[in-house]
Amino acid sequence: MSSRFVLRIVAIAVLFVMCPALTNTAGTQGQTDRRNEKQIAIRFGKLWDGTGRMLTDAVVVVQGERIASVGTGGAAVPRDAEVIDLRRFTGIPGLIDVHTHMTYYYDPATKTSPLRQPRSLPAVTVFLAQENARKTLEAGVTTVRDLGSSDYKDIAMRDLINRGAMPGPRMFVAGYGLTHRNPGTNSASRGAASGPQEVERVIGEQVAAGADWIKMFGSTGGFDNVSGDQTFSSEEMKAAVEAAHKLNKRIAIHSYGPAGARDAVRAGADSLEHGTDLDDETLKEMASRKLFWVPTIDHNRYYAESAELYGFTPAAVKNLNEYIERNLNTAQRAYKAGVRFAMGSDAVFTMFGQNARELAWFVKAGMTPEEALFTATRNGAALLGMEKSLGSIAAGYYADIVAVEGDPSKDIQAVISRVRWVMKGGRVVIDRVKVQ
Ligand SMILES: [Zn+2]
């Protein structure tokens, strides 16, 4: 090795030590320098580390916002570390929910349905939406992909969370979702577009505003409406994928029905949201393209159960339940066809806190509990392009760690309803260990 080469390595190392921000791409707690912070050693009876390994008597050593090491037994605890004893619990990586609408806040004081409440100022909604963020953390979710908001409330929320001004999961956000504008009509939404040029312009606007992702509504459907008629054409979807990728952004396309889903898959979307009755050819293509399917089965369960709050009719509830059945049936076929799944709750309003209930549907669709867990950890991280920082408990990863009661690799309910403690980026954000 030449001495000049060695010098160069030393220079790069010095640069990294001096500029922690350089290594901090997600920007969490980017304001504080925590290099010299004390190490924390967390002890777990069992640890499912996100790679498929289950360790016994595990020790996770955390320094600053990252994991320093993972070992087993008392010898793995550094001498000066602060010890958090969670040996009654199983440790798992912080969960990733890849479909939320964190800024859809419901104020019960309005005494009306979430869809009819008067609009608040964007700043007021962002402030109040902390409650959604806190409930999401309580569910063990430390990262979300938020797919659509107005007034860039999602961008504001992401930034407030990243600078430590608001507790909440790390957010990857989309700004305005693209909605189809019928040519000849005007739409008030800043996400409305018609034709490839407009699609490209609107995508550029979201990225310029600070969006991390692009969301496109490729069909009708939402809330009590499960119609699923395709809106954007195949050409418009192709233009969207191309425009997003050109700006180094990934794109999620929403389709309740099979036609929009088929075109979204062929256009090269990075994830497909919702969907029923997908034909075998499309499922095969989804598996071979390795795109992620986010079926969001549980959100219609939530709507059906919350019909009174929303003022949904009995006929709408029937439609929702029928949709769930076809959604689940399609999930069973997709699982058999080898399609990759990611966990997305599509949580809005009062659904926050129920984020992980989607996993029970995945088990119903044929997955083992461990396979279901992968959808909310490793797969979510891969979909976000964060597979080297999120979704596993390993040295160098963000210290996003959840303690649950029971063995989630055997019983998925441990994750859904028995989250006891949550750490995000090296900080304990939920602690219910003593309150039991
Ligand atoms: Zn959604």
Side-chain angles (χ1 to χ4, degrees):
M1 210 189 288
S2 79
S3 63
R4 187 181 288 174
F5 184 66
V6 172
L7 262 179
R8 196 134 125 229
I9 289 176
V10 170
I12 290 168
V14 167
L15 191 69
F16 267 80
V17 169
M18 289 178 64
C19 308
L22 276 183
T23 56
N24 184 8
T25 49
T28 34
Q29 282 105 37
Q31 322 294 310
T32 356
D33 181 354
R34 293 197 279 158
R35 275 171 299 151
N36 300 321
E37 266 184 43
K38 205 173 164 184
Q39 288 188 324
I40 302 172
I42 311 157
R43 304 196 68 167
F44 288 105
K46 299 262 181 203
L47 179 78
W48 185 81
D49 70 355
T51 68
R53 271 198 317 173
M54 182 70 93
L55 304 176
T56 302
D57 193 14
V59 178
V60 183
V61 179
V62 171
Q63 180 143 32
E65 60 184 8
R66 301 266 181 174
I67 294 165
S69 64
V70 179
T72 55
V77 179
R79 198 179 312 158
D80 297 327
E82 174 196 335
V83 176
I84 299 178
D85 189 348
L86 299 173
R87 277 180 288 184
R88 283 187 294 146
F89 305 111
T90 304
I92 59 171
L95 303 176
I96 301 170
D97 182 347
V98 297
H99 194 137
T100 62
H101 297 277
M102 203 72 88
T103 61
Y104 287 34
Y105 175 77
Y106 173 55
D107 181 1
T110 60
K111 293 205 168 61
T112 174
S113 105
L115 300 174
R116 286 192 206 100
Q117 60 185 341
R119 265 182 104 90
S120 298
L121 286 169
V124 172
T125 304
V126 168
F127 183 85
L128 294 174
Q130 317 189 39
E131 190 182 323
N132 296 344
R134 176 180 47 79
K135 286 181 178 164
T136 300
L137 288 175
E138 284 172 357
V141 171
T142 49
T143 300
V144 303
R145 184 182 61 158
D146 202 68
L147 288 182
S149 180
S150 57
D151 303 308
Y152 299 122
K153 294 192 286 278
D154 53 349
I155 291 173
M157 217 171 155
R158 175 199 65 191
D159 293 350
L160 287 167
I161 290 171
N162 280 349
R163 63 187 287 160
M166 184 188 277
R170 36 183 115 254
M171 291 176 70
F172 293 83
V173 306
Y176 284 86
L178 273 78
T179 53
H180 190 253
R181 181 180 70 78
N182 284 328
T185 63
N186 260 326
S187 170
S189 171
R190 289 166 68 180
S194 176
Q197 280 87 26
E198 253 178 63
V199 163
E200 189 175 355
R201 172 177 57 75
V202 172
I203 286 174
E205 284 165 7
Q206 306 320 306
V207 174
D212 308 295
W213 266 81
I214 298 303
K215 160 80 177 282
M216 177 177 239
F217 290 92
S219 84
T220 56
F223 302 112
D224 56 339
N225 171 354
V226 292
S227 53
D229 301 321
Q230 185 167 356
T231 51
F232 282 107
S233 68
S234 168
E235 283 62 44
E236 288 166 323
M237 287 183 184
K238 280 186 196 139
V241 170
E242 204 176 296
H245 289 175
K246 213 157 65 184
L247 295 168
N248 284 320
K249 302 296 174 194
R250 296 183 182 183
I251 175 169
I253 301 185
H254 153 128
S255 182
Y256 269 49
R262 186 196 56 221
D263 283 354
V265 169
R266 280 163 184 69
D270 297 288
S271 73
L272 173 68
E273 311 300 307
H274 324 295
T276 59
D277 311 312
L278 305 176
D279 57 76
D280 290 339
E281 205 51 45
T282 301
L283 291 178
K284 224 164 102 190
E285 181 129 13
M286 286 161 77
S288 72
R289 283 178 178 266
K290 293 188 163 185
L291 73 71
F292 284 100
W293 187 33
V294 185
T296 70
I297 303 167
D298 192 57
H299 84 302
N300 288 319
R301 185 274 315 158
Y302 159 77
Y303 287 134
E305 283 181 11
S306 313
E308 203 178 320
L309 172 69
Y310 281 86
F312 294 158
T313 64
V317 172
K318 192 164 163 267
N319 289 342
L320 286 165
N321 285 324
E322 280 170 11
Y323 190 91
I324 291 172
E325 212 156 293
R326 286 184 287 132
N327 207 178
L328 176 61
N329 179 274
T330 308
Q332 283 159 343
R333 289 173 44 235
Y335 172 69
K336 282 197 198 119
V339 172
R340 298 203 292 181
F341 285 61
M343 181 193 80
S345 64
D346 206 357
V348 294
F349 303 119
T350 57
M351 193 184 166
F352 292 93
Q354 304 176 23
N355 305 62
R357 287 182 64 159
E358 182 74 358
L359 298 180
W361 292 104
F362 288 176
V363 170
K364 263 192 199 160
M367 291 185 202
T368 64
E370 185 171 43
E371 285 170 330
L373 258 180
F374 277 127
T375 70
T377 52
R378 192 163 68 183
N379 290 9
L383 175 55
L384 293 169
M386 295 292 287
E387 55 273 63
K388 300 230 165 72
S389 304
L390 298 173
S392 291
I393 298 178
Y397 280 66
Y398 280 112
D400 290 2
I401 306 164
V402 173
V404 302
E405 207 172 316
D407 182 350
S409 71
K410 296 204 172 70
D411 174 16
I412 203 64
Q413 283 302 325
V415 178
I416 295 171
S417 50
R418 295 196 297 274
V419 168
R420 301 292 184 235
W421 179 94
V422 180
M423 171 178 271
K424 183 204 149 204
R427 293 200 172 156
V428 179
V429 285
I430 303 294
D431 188 353
R432 292 159 160 176
V433 169
K434 290 186 194 92
V435 235
Q436 274 176 72

